[in-house]
Short mmCIF file of all heavy atoms in Angstrom, two decimals:
data_model
loop_
_atom_site.label_atom_id
_atom_site.label_comp_id
_atom_site.label_asym_id
_atom_site.label_seq_id
_atom_site.Cartn_x
_atom_site.Cartn_y
_atom_site.Cartn_z
N GLU B 232 64.87 -45.35 -129.47
CA GLU B 232 64.57 -43.95 -129.19
C GLU B 232 63.51 -43.82 -128.11
O GLU B 232 63.60 -42.97 -127.22
CB GLU B 232 64.09 -43.23 -130.47
CG GLU B 232 65.21 -42.57 -131.26
CD GLU B 232 65.98 -43.56 -132.13
OE1 GLU B 232 65.58 -44.74 -132.14
OE2 GLU B 232 66.96 -43.16 -132.78
N TYR B 233 62.50 -44.67 -128.19
CA TYR B 233 61.45 -44.62 -127.18
C TYR B 233 62.01 -44.99 -125.81
O TYR B 233 61.65 -44.42 -124.78
CB TYR B 233 60.30 -45.56 -127.56
CG TYR B 233 59.65 -45.16 -128.88
CD1 TYR B 233 59.96 -45.83 -130.05
CD2 TYR B 233 58.75 -44.10 -128.93
CE1 TYR B 233 59.38 -45.45 -131.26
CE2 TYR B 233 58.17 -43.72 -130.12
CZ TYR B 233 58.49 -44.40 -131.29
OH TYR B 233 57.92 -44.02 -132.47
N VAL B 234 62.86 -45.98 -125.84
CA VAL B 234 63.46 -46.42 -124.58
C VAL B 234 64.29 -45.28 -123.99
O VAL B 234 64.25 -45.00 -122.78
CB VAL B 234 64.35 -47.66 -124.81
CG1 VAL B 234 65.20 -47.93 -123.58
CG2 VAL B 234 63.48 -48.87 -125.14
N ASP B 235 65.02 -44.62 -124.86
CA ASP B 235 65.87 -43.54 -124.38
C ASP B 235 65.02 -42.41 -123.78
O ASP B 235 65.36 -41.81 -122.77
CB ASP B 235 66.73 -43.01 -125.53
CG ASP B 235 67.83 -42.09 -125.03
OD1 ASP B 235 68.30 -42.30 -123.88
OD2 ASP B 235 68.20 -41.15 -125.75
N ALA B 236 63.89 -42.17 -124.44
CA ALA B 236 62.99 -41.14 -123.91
C ALA B 236 62.51 -41.53 -122.52
O ALA B 236 62.49 -40.71 -121.59
CB ALA B 236 61.79 -40.96 -124.85
N ALA B 237 62.18 -42.78 -122.37
CA ALA B 237 61.72 -43.27 -121.06
C ALA B 237 62.85 -43.10 -120.03
O ALA B 237 62.61 -42.74 -118.88
CB ALA B 237 61.31 -44.73 -121.16
N ARG B 238 64.05 -43.37 -120.48
CA ARG B 238 65.19 -43.23 -119.58
C ARG B 238 65.29 -41.79 -119.07
O ARG B 238 65.49 -41.54 -117.88
CB ARG B 238 66.48 -43.60 -120.32
CG ARG B 238 67.73 -43.51 -119.46
CD ARG B 238 68.97 -43.79 -120.28
NE ARG B 238 69.24 -42.76 -121.27
CZ ARG B 238 69.89 -41.63 -121.01
NH1 ARG B 238 70.36 -41.40 -119.80
NH2 ARG B 238 70.09 -40.74 -121.96
N ARG B 239 65.09 -40.86 -119.97
CA ARG B 239 65.20 -39.45 -119.57
C ARG B 239 64.12 -39.08 -118.55
O ARG B 239 64.28 -38.15 -117.78
CB ARG B 239 65.06 -38.55 -120.79
CG ARG B 239 66.26 -38.65 -121.71
CD ARG B 239 66.51 -37.36 -122.46
NE ARG B 239 67.31 -37.64 -123.65
CZ ARG B 239 66.79 -38.10 -124.79
NH1 ARG B 239 65.49 -38.30 -124.89
NH2 ARG B 239 67.56 -38.36 -125.81
N GLU B 240 63.05 -39.85 -118.60
CA GLU B 240 61.99 -39.58 -117.63
C GLU B 240 62.13 -40.38 -116.35
O GLU B 240 61.22 -40.45 -115.55
CB GLU B 240 60.62 -39.85 -118.27
CG GLU B 240 60.31 -38.85 -119.38
CD GLU B 240 59.02 -39.18 -120.10
OE1 GLU B 240 58.30 -40.07 -119.61
OE2 GLU B 240 58.77 -38.58 -121.16
N GLY B 241 63.26 -41.06 -116.24
CA GLY B 241 63.51 -41.70 -114.96
C GLY B 241 63.60 -43.22 -114.94
O GLY B 241 63.91 -43.82 -113.92
N VAL B 242 63.29 -43.85 -116.06
CA VAL B 242 63.40 -45.32 -116.10
C VAL B 242 64.88 -45.71 -116.01
O VAL B 242 65.72 -45.13 -116.71
CB VAL B 242 62.78 -45.87 -117.40
CG1 VAL B 242 63.25 -47.29 -117.64
CG2 VAL B 242 61.27 -45.80 -117.33
N THR B 243 65.17 -46.70 -115.18
CA THR B 243 66.57 -47.09 -115.02
C THR B 243 66.86 -48.51 -115.50
O THR B 243 68.01 -48.90 -115.61
CB THR B 243 67.01 -47.00 -113.55
OG1 THR B 243 66.20 -47.90 -112.77
CG2 THR B 243 66.85 -45.59 -113.02
N ALA B 244 65.80 -49.27 -115.76
CA ALA B 244 66.03 -50.65 -116.20
C ALA B 244 64.99 -51.06 -117.23
O ALA B 244 63.81 -50.74 -117.10
CB ALA B 244 65.97 -51.60 -115.01
N VAL B 245 65.45 -51.76 -118.25
CA VAL B 245 64.56 -52.21 -119.32
C VAL B 245 64.57 -53.73 -119.39
O VAL B 245 65.63 -54.36 -119.36
CB VAL B 245 64.99 -51.66 -120.68
CG1 VAL B 245 64.09 -52.18 -121.79
CG2 VAL B 245 64.99 -50.15 -120.67
N ILE B 246 63.40 -54.29 -119.48
CA ILE B 246 63.26 -55.74 -119.69
C ILE B 246 62.71 -55.93 -121.10
O ILE B 246 61.63 -55.41 -121.41
CB ILE B 246 62.30 -56.36 -118.67
CG1 ILE B 246 62.89 -56.22 -117.26
CG2 ILE B 246 62.02 -57.81 -119.00
CD1 ILE B 246 61.97 -56.68 -116.16
N ALA B 247 63.45 -56.62 -121.92
CA ALA B 247 63.01 -56.82 -123.30
C ALA B 247 62.25 -58.13 -123.41
O ALA B 247 62.46 -59.06 -122.64
CB ALA B 247 64.20 -56.83 -124.24
N PHE B 248 61.39 -58.19 -124.42
CA PHE B 248 60.60 -59.39 -124.67
C PHE B 248 61.49 -60.63 -124.76
O PHE B 248 61.18 -61.67 -124.20
CB PHE B 248 59.82 -59.22 -125.98
CG PHE B 248 59.09 -60.46 -126.41
CD1 PHE B 248 57.97 -60.88 -125.73
CD2 PHE B 248 59.53 -61.20 -127.51
CE1 PHE B 248 57.28 -62.02 -126.13
CE2 PHE B 248 58.85 -62.34 -127.90
CZ PHE B 248 57.72 -62.76 -127.22
N ASN B 249 62.60 -60.49 -125.48
CA ASN B 249 63.55 -61.60 -125.54
C ASN B 249 64.95 -61.07 -125.81
O ASN B 249 65.16 -59.86 -125.91
CB ASN B 249 63.12 -62.63 -126.58
CG ASN B 249 63.18 -62.08 -128.00
OD1 ASN B 249 63.86 -61.10 -128.27
ND2 ASN B 249 62.45 -62.72 -128.89
N ASP B 250 65.89 -61.97 -125.91
CA ASP B 250 67.29 -61.55 -126.06
C ASP B 250 67.53 -60.84 -127.38
O ASP B 250 68.33 -59.90 -127.44
CB ASP B 250 68.22 -62.76 -125.97
CG ASP B 250 68.36 -63.25 -124.54
OD1 ASP B 250 67.87 -62.56 -123.63
OD2 ASP B 250 68.96 -64.32 -124.35
N LEU B 251 66.88 -61.29 -128.43
CA LEU B 251 67.12 -60.65 -129.71
C LEU B 251 66.75 -59.18 -129.64
O LEU B 251 67.49 -58.30 -130.08
CB LEU B 251 66.32 -61.35 -130.82
CG LEU B 251 66.71 -62.80 -131.10
CD1 LEU B 251 65.88 -63.35 -132.26
CD2 LEU B 251 68.19 -62.92 -131.42
N VAL B 252 65.60 -58.92 -129.06
CA VAL B 252 65.16 -57.53 -128.90
C VAL B 252 66.16 -56.76 -128.04
O VAL B 252 66.54 -55.63 -128.36
CB VAL B 252 63.75 -57.48 -128.28
CG1 VAL B 252 63.37 -56.06 -127.93
CG2 VAL B 252 62.74 -58.07 -129.25
N ALA B 253 66.59 -57.39 -126.97
CA ALA B 253 67.54 -56.72 -126.06
C ALA B 253 68.85 -56.40 -126.79
O ALA B 253 69.42 -55.32 -126.63
CB ALA B 253 67.80 -57.60 -124.85
N LEU B 254 69.32 -57.33 -127.58
CA LEU B 254 70.58 -57.13 -128.29
C LEU B 254 70.45 -56.01 -129.33
O LEU B 254 71.34 -55.17 -129.47
CB LEU B 254 71.02 -58.44 -128.97
CG LEU B 254 71.43 -59.56 -128.00
CD1 LEU B 254 71.57 -60.89 -128.73
CD2 LEU B 254 72.75 -59.21 -127.31
N GLY B 255 69.35 -56.01 -130.04
CA GLY B 255 69.13 -54.95 -131.02
C GLY B 255 69.04 -53.60 -130.33
O GLY B 255 69.58 -52.60 -130.80
N LEU B 256 68.38 -53.61 -129.21
CA LEU B 256 68.24 -52.38 -128.43
C LEU B 256 69.61 -51.87 -127.98
O LEU B 256 69.92 -50.69 -128.11
CB LEU B 256 67.35 -52.66 -127.21
CG LEU B 256 67.24 -51.54 -126.18
CD1 LEU B 256 66.58 -50.32 -126.79
CD2 LEU B 256 66.45 -52.02 -124.96
N MET B 257 70.42 -52.75 -127.46
CA MET B 257 71.74 -52.35 -126.98
C MET B 257 72.58 -51.76 -128.11
O MET B 257 73.32 -50.79 -127.91
CB MET B 257 72.46 -53.55 -126.36
CG MET B 257 71.87 -53.94 -125.01
SD MET B 257 73.07 -54.68 -123.87
CE MET B 257 73.67 -56.03 -124.81
N THR B 258 72.46 -52.35 -129.28
CA THR B 258 73.23 -51.84 -130.41
C THR B 258 72.88 -50.37 -130.69
O THR B 258 73.76 -49.52 -130.81
CB THR B 258 72.93 -52.67 -131.66
OG1 THR B 258 73.38 -54.01 -131.43
CG2 THR B 258 73.66 -52.11 -132.88
N ARG B 259 71.61 -50.09 -130.74
CA ARG B 259 71.18 -48.74 -131.06
C ARG B 259 71.50 -47.77 -129.92
O ARG B 259 71.89 -46.62 -130.15
CB ARG B 259 69.68 -48.73 -131.36
CG ARG B 259 69.12 -47.39 -131.74
CD ARG B 259 69.73 -46.88 -133.03
NE ARG B 259 69.21 -45.55 -133.36
CZ ARG B 259 69.93 -44.60 -133.94
NH1 ARG B 259 71.20 -44.84 -134.25
NH2 ARG B 259 69.40 -43.43 -134.22
N LEU B 260 71.35 -48.25 -128.71
CA LEU B 260 71.64 -47.38 -127.57
C LEU B 260 73.11 -46.96 -127.58
O LEU B 260 73.46 -45.84 -127.26
CB LEU B 260 71.31 -48.10 -126.25
CG LEU B 260 69.82 -48.25 -125.93
CD1 LEU B 260 69.65 -49.00 -124.62
CD2 LEU B 260 69.13 -46.89 -125.86
N ARG B 261 73.95 -47.91 -127.96
CA ARG B 261 75.37 -47.60 -128.03
C ARG B 261 75.60 -46.49 -129.05
O ARG B 261 76.36 -45.56 -128.81
CB ARG B 261 76.15 -48.86 -128.40
CG ARG B 261 77.63 -48.74 -128.11
CD ARG B 261 78.36 -50.04 -128.36
NE ARG B 261 77.82 -51.13 -127.55
CZ ARG B 261 77.17 -52.18 -128.04
NH1 ARG B 261 76.97 -52.30 -129.33
NH2 ARG B 261 76.71 -53.10 -127.22
N GLU B 262 74.90 -46.59 -130.17
CA GLU B 262 75.03 -45.55 -131.19
C GLU B 262 74.55 -44.20 -130.67
O GLU B 262 75.06 -43.16 -131.04
CB GLU B 262 74.22 -45.94 -132.43
CG GLU B 262 74.78 -47.14 -133.18
CD GLU B 262 73.86 -47.60 -134.31
OE1 GLU B 262 72.82 -46.95 -134.54
OE2 GLU B 262 74.18 -48.62 -134.94
N LEU B 263 73.55 -44.28 -129.81
CA LEU B 263 72.99 -43.04 -129.26
C LEU B 263 73.82 -42.50 -128.10
O LEU B 263 73.50 -41.46 -127.52
CB LEU B 263 71.54 -43.29 -128.78
CG LEU B 263 70.53 -43.65 -129.87
CD1 LEU B 263 69.18 -43.99 -129.23
CD2 LEU B 263 70.37 -42.49 -130.85
N GLY B 264 74.82 -43.26 -127.73
CA GLY B 264 75.66 -42.80 -126.64
C GLY B 264 75.13 -43.11 -125.25
O GLY B 264 75.60 -42.55 -124.25
N VAL B 265 74.18 -44.02 -125.19
CA VAL B 265 73.65 -44.40 -123.88
C VAL B 265 74.49 -45.57 -123.34
O VAL B 265 74.64 -46.58 -124.01
CB VAL B 265 72.18 -44.84 -123.98
CG1 VAL B 265 71.67 -45.29 -122.61
CG2 VAL B 265 71.33 -43.70 -124.53
N GLU B 266 75.03 -45.42 -122.18
CA GLU B 266 75.89 -46.45 -121.60
C GLU B 266 75.07 -47.54 -120.91
O GLU B 266 74.17 -47.23 -120.12
CB GLU B 266 76.82 -45.84 -120.56
CG GLU B 266 77.79 -44.81 -121.09
CD GLU B 266 79.15 -45.41 -121.36
OE1 GLU B 266 79.56 -46.32 -120.59
OE2 GLU B 266 79.80 -45.01 -122.35
N VAL B 267 75.41 -48.79 -121.20
CA VAL B 267 74.77 -49.91 -120.53
C VAL B 267 75.86 -50.68 -119.78
O VAL B 267 76.88 -51.03 -120.38
CB VAL B 267 74.11 -50.85 -121.55
CG1 VAL B 267 73.58 -52.10 -120.85
CG2 VAL B 267 73.00 -50.13 -122.31
N PRO B 268 75.70 -50.86 -118.49
CA PRO B 268 74.53 -50.54 -117.67
C PRO B 268 74.62 -49.18 -116.98
O PRO B 268 73.73 -48.86 -116.20
CB PRO B 268 74.57 -51.66 -116.64
CG PRO B 268 76.02 -51.89 -116.43
CD PRO B 268 76.68 -51.66 -117.75
N GLY B 269 75.68 -48.44 -117.25
CA GLY B 269 75.85 -47.16 -116.55
C GLY B 269 74.62 -46.26 -116.57
O GLY B 269 74.10 -45.87 -115.52
#
Side-chain angles (χ1 to χ4, degrees):
Chain B
E232 268 81 2
Y233 299 100
V234 168
D235 192 31
R238 181 184 67 84
R239 290 210 201 81
E240 292 175 10
V242 164
T243 61
V245 177
I246 295 174
F248 174 72
N249 66 20
D250 285 352
L251 296 183
V252 172
L254 292 168
L256 172 64
M257 288 210 303
T258 296
R259 182 63 182 145
L260 286 179
R261 196 175 302 113
E262 292 173 3
L263 295 175
V265 178
E266 297 262 325
V267 174

